[in-house]
Structure formats: structure tokens, C-alpha cells
Amino acid sequence: MFLLRQILQEMAAEKLRLSLTILAVVWATVCITVMLSVGEGLRQGLIRSSESGNGKLIYLNGGYATKDYGRFHQGERLKLKPEDIDVIRALPSVKNAEPSGSWNAKVTNGDKGLWDSPLAVYPGYRDLMGFKMAPGSRWFNPLDMKEQRKVIVLGQSAAYLLFNDSDEFDWLDSPKLTSNPVGKTVKVGNEDFTLIGLIESSSANVENGVPLDYTVFVPFTTWRRFNPNEAINAINIEPVKSVDRLQLAKTAKQVIARKYEASMSDEQLIQSQDLLLRQKTMRRFLVGLQSFLGVIGLVTLGVAGIGIANVMYATVKRATRDIGIRMAIGATPGDIKRHYLLQSLLTMAIGGMLGLALTFSLVELLQSLPFDGNAIYEELGKPKPELSVSIVIIVILALGLVGIAAAWFPANRAAGITPLEALQSE
């Protein structure tokens, strides 16, 4: 208690300089914490965006032979068939798998049309991709499949392009439908299809990188009805958790090659893409970005540390005679050094606590801002600053390290003062 009282008395003697230094620590703490929180929010948002839709799947599709083997000649295409899905689903490492077909027909409503072709899917495709339906609409059901109904489901932007009342399109704000188009008809090629569902807006992508908001879906059996001999587009595979994804992709390609008596060593004949493993580069970039933001904040904190060092030097100079007296009556250099290290850490603690409290309020404010509807915000996965426990721990450790570094040289200077030198000082 005596040591703490003495430290507080010395801090009060330098209250103007100390107050300015504490303000600098507060500002530096806010800077480093907000930057780390924003970086973490952006990282988590982009991960959510990239993992939604087909981001966790293995995409398997037929390619072209690069050499003669069996019944395949160089340049010949391997056409996947709907029954191939049963071979893939039989693999123990596969949790779920769904086929998809591409209908080479234009979707129109009067003079308005879409660029993207419809994807033909089964009802289980929605659970595989994880998207949700808008209120008042529905996804395909078993009866749609059994009766090969001419029904269609649209993404929000696709519906807007087909049913909007004006030609205006805002690239910053997500398009909003002025009326509910469910129940209306569109044309797929020359056939009339009834719109039964709208997909909730999402930043997810589906096959071939098509944004979910622009997708068009039709029942798989309906597509087969109008395209009886067409090859399926791809097989979307969801692996069992913690399975070796590279080995699963290799095994899937091998069983398909064996089924068609094709070469298992022809890498181009059956192609696979692991969309989750492809995200590793992006994740490394996001970690690097967050580290860069943290370094900027740490530099700001270092500037505040220089201010603390200056205050410590001024305090040591003013208290030189007191230091000499204390050493003359038995204080060791270690006691003097601990005294000024504690004073520096106490200064950092005061500024750090105020800075963290201010940052918490600022993060709460930023999280409450209404960004919904902004296309860029939604494309980034709706990122919001996240003040996690790990960030708070990192900031506290940074405050402690800077506090020790700022007081180290002044503390050594104080510990090196001899009683004779102190008594001779003015």
C-alpha cells in the first residue's frame, strides 16, 4: 500500500503530462482494438460468404479425354448420367450428393430476359446449398418431381430483372420487388412455367460461380422431360465431416472412371474442384490483412509508449534526491526499477481500460447501424466489427509489453543513481 501511495503521489505531481499520456494511450487502444475488430468482422463475413452455397462442396463434372483408352478417344467428352449419383452416394465418405442439369434455354417475361440458364435440381439441392425461401413461397416438392410440373424458382435479382416496373438498377443497393410475382408465369424457351418460389437474398454462389440471387431453378424431372438425352451438368458432393477431402475427390473420380471403363490416370476426363480447399489462399490473405491492421494500431500504441517514457524520465529527474535517500536507507536497484515499471503499467492500465470501454461502445454502435440492403455489404457476408475475447487478450498483452518497454530505460536510469549522485543533485 505504501508503494502504491507513493506511485500515485508521483503521478499526481506530473498530472498534466500524465493526463495527456493517458489520453494518448486511450486513443491508441481504441485504434488497435477497432482495427482488429473490423478486420475480424471482415474476415468472418467473407468466410461466411465463401462457405455458403456450394462453398463447402466438392464439384464433380465430366471433361474430355486427353488420350485414347478403352472406348474413349482423344477429345471425346465423358457425359455424366443421372444414375451416376447413386455410385457417389454409396461412398462411405459422402454425407450427401445431388446432381444438377443445365437447360440451354432462355428465361423471359415479355421483352425482359435473363442471361443465366436454368439449373435442374431435386428437392434435396436446397438443403445441400443451405439457402432459404422467402415468405409466401415454396421450394420444389416430391409431387412436382413425380408429375414433372412446369414450375420455377428464382433468386431475388433474377425475379427483379424479370418483373421490375422500371429499367433502373442500383448496383449499391440490393434490388427490391415492388410486388410479389409468385404465381405469375415466365417462359423457359417456348414453354410456360409458373413461378412458385423466391429465394431469400444471399451472397452465396452456386455452380460455376453464379450468384444465388441470379439463379433460376426448375425440377430435375421436368428438365429430363424436355431434354431426355442431355448429360447432367455436375454432381455436388458434401463430404462427411473431418474426412480427407483430397482422397474423397480422388476416389469419386476413380469410381466414375471405372463405371465408364475410362482411364483412371486421365486427369481431364473427370474433373473435380474442392471449393473449400480453394479458399485457403483467401483465408491467408484475410489473416494477413488483419495482422496488417493490428500492426498499424500497434504503431499508434508505440507512439503512446514514447509519451510514457518521456513522463517517466521527467519523473526520475524530479525525484532524483528521493531515489538517493531511499537507496541510502536500504532500497535496492531492483526495488527502484520495480517502482517505475509498476508506475508505467498503472498508466497503461488506466488508459487501456478507458480505451477498451470506449471501443466496446463504438463497436456496439457500428453493429447497430442499418447496412442491410446494401449490395456490397451483403456480398461481403454482412461483416460487422467483432470484439472477441482473443482480441481483448491481444490488446491487453500489447499494452503490457509497450508499458514495460516504455519504462525500461527510465527505470534502469533510476536504478543506476547512487546516493552520492542523488544528494549532489539540485
Side-chain angles (χ1 to χ4, degrees):
M1 288 299 295
F2 174 76
L3 177 60
L4 180 60
R5 185 166 61 250
Q6 190 176 28
I7 290 174
L8 293 176
Q9 288 173 352
E10 290 186 1
M11 291 172 69
E14 298 287 347
K15 55 185 177 183
L16 178 59
R17 292 182 182 179
L18 196 63
S19 298
L20 294 174
T21 302
I22 289 175
L23 286 176
V25 174
V26 170
W27 173 249
T29 303
V30 170
C31 286
I32 187 173
T33 311
V34 169
M35 286 183 179
L36 288 174
S37 298
V38 170
E40 179 66 12
L42 181 61
R43 187 177 71 87
Q44 294 294 342
L46 286 173
I47 288 175
R48 285 194 300 269
S49 178
S50 62
E51 287 188 352
S52 58
N54 65 343
K56 292 184 177 181
L57 306 181
I58 296 174
Y59 184 78
L60 194 73
N61 63 301
Y64 293 87
T66 58
K67 57 185 176 181
D68 296 335
Y69 186 92
R71 67 178 183 83
F72 285 91
H73 300 288
Q74 184 176 356
E76 185 177 352
R77 181 188 174 193
L78 188 150
K79 297 181 179 180
L80 294 175
K81 299 177 181 178
E83 54 267 25
D84 294 339
I85 193 69
D86 297 325
V87 178
I88 299 299
R89 285 173 176 166
L91 296 175
S93 299
V94 173
K95 180 179 179 181
N96 193 8
E98 290 289 339
S100 65
S102 181
W103 193 339
N104 188 23
K106 191 170 183 180
V107 180
T108 58
N109 178 30
D111 60 349
K112 298 173 182 177
L114 302 176
W115 291 102
D116 294 306
S117 300
L119 277 176
V121 296
Y122 281 100
Y125 189 87
R126 186 186 69 164
D127 294 331
L128 187 68
M129 295 292 172
F131 54 79
K132 299 179 181 179
M133 302 303 296
S137 63
R138 70 173 180 87
W139 182 244
F140 305 126
N141 59 35
L143 202 56
D144 295 326
M145 298 293 159
K146 181 179 179 181
E147 298 181 357
Q148 302 178 351
R149 290 176 175 174
K150 294 193 293 182
V151 291
I152 195 168
V153 171
L154 299 175
Q156 290 286 331
S157 297
Y160 180 84
L161 292 173
L162 289 175
F163 296 101
N164 64 317
D165 297 327
S166 67
D167 294 330
E168 296 181 1
F169 194 91
D170 192 338
W171 293 99
L172 291 179
D173 293 327
S174 299
K176 298 293 187 298
L177 290 165
T178 54
S179 60
N180 188 357
V182 173
K184 296 182 179 180
T185 60
V186 298
K187 281 190 176 294
V188 178
N190 296 319
E191 300 292 330
D192 289 328
F193 274 65
T194 302
L195 178 62
I196 62 170
L198 294 175
I199 301 170
E200 285 190 359
S201 183
S202 169
S203 61
N205 292 329
V206 291
E207 298 171 37
N208 301 319
V210 177
L212 183 60
D213 284 354
Y214 287 90
T215 50
V216 181
F217 294 108
V218 295
F220 192 90
T221 53
T222 307
W223 170 70
R224 293 289 292 173
R225 169 185 162 190
F226 291 98
N227 304 271
N229 298 317
E230 189 70 25
I232 65 173
N233 190 50
I235 297 175
N236 298 275
I237 304 171
E238 180 184 5
V240 173
K241 191 175 182 180
S242 302
V243 76
D244 187 336
R245 300 175 67 95
L246 292 175
Q247 182 59 44
L248 172 57
K250 182 178 179 181
T251 302
K253 292 171 67 174
Q254 287 175 344
V255 296
I256 294 294
R258 190 178 297 114
K259 180 178 183 293
Y260 287 95
E261 299 179 354
S263 172
M264 295 186 187
S265 60
D266 193 341
E267 294 295 328
Q268 298 301 317
L269 186 59
I270 307 167
Q271 301 177 2
S272 67
Q273 299 180 56
D274 192 323
L275 300 172
L276 184 62
L277 295 181
R278 285 174 58 185
Q279 298 170 23
K280 284 187 174 181
T281 301
M282 182 199 71
R283 296 192 182 194
R284 284 195 292 266
F285 168 76
L286 292 175
V287 171
L289 176 62
Q290 191 174 12
S291 301
F292 175 71
L293 294 174
V295 168
I296 294 176
L298 191 60
V299 169
T300 307
L301 193 60
V303 173
I306 294 174
I308 291 179
N310 289 332
V311 172
M312 292 293 100
Y313 272 118
T315 302
V316 169
K317 185 176 181 180
R318 186 189 56 80
T320 300
R321 289 182 64 86
D322 293 338
I323 293 171
I325 294 172
R326 289 168 57 196
M327 295 185 73
I329 61 175
T332 65
D335 294 332
I336 302 299
K337 188 180 293 186
R338 280 192 295 271
H339 175 94
Y340 289 102
L341 285 173
L342 286 174
Q343 183 173 332
S344 176
L345 290 175
L346 183 58
T347 304
M348 274 293 186
I350 295 172
M353 286 189 293
L354 292 174
L356 287 172
L358 185 58
T359 303
F360 181 80
S361 302
L362 185 59
V363 168
E364 288 286 319
L365 176 63
L366 291 174
Q367 289 178 345
S368 65
L369 292 178
F371 289 115
D372 290 338
N374 184 281
I376 297 177
Y377 172 71
E378 293 181 353
E379 183 67 23
L380 294 175
K382 299 182 178 181
K384 291 186 177 181
E386 296 186 18
L387 186 57
S388 62
V389 175
S390 59
I391 290 177
V392 173
I393 292 174
I394 290 172
V395 171
I396 291 174
L397 290 175
L399 287 168
L401 289 174
V402 172
I404 292 173
W408 188 258
F409 293 106
N412 280 337
R413 170 73 180 88
I417 296 174
T418 64
L420 181 59
E421 180 185 355
L423 294 174
Q424 289 177 345
S425 66
E426 295 182 1

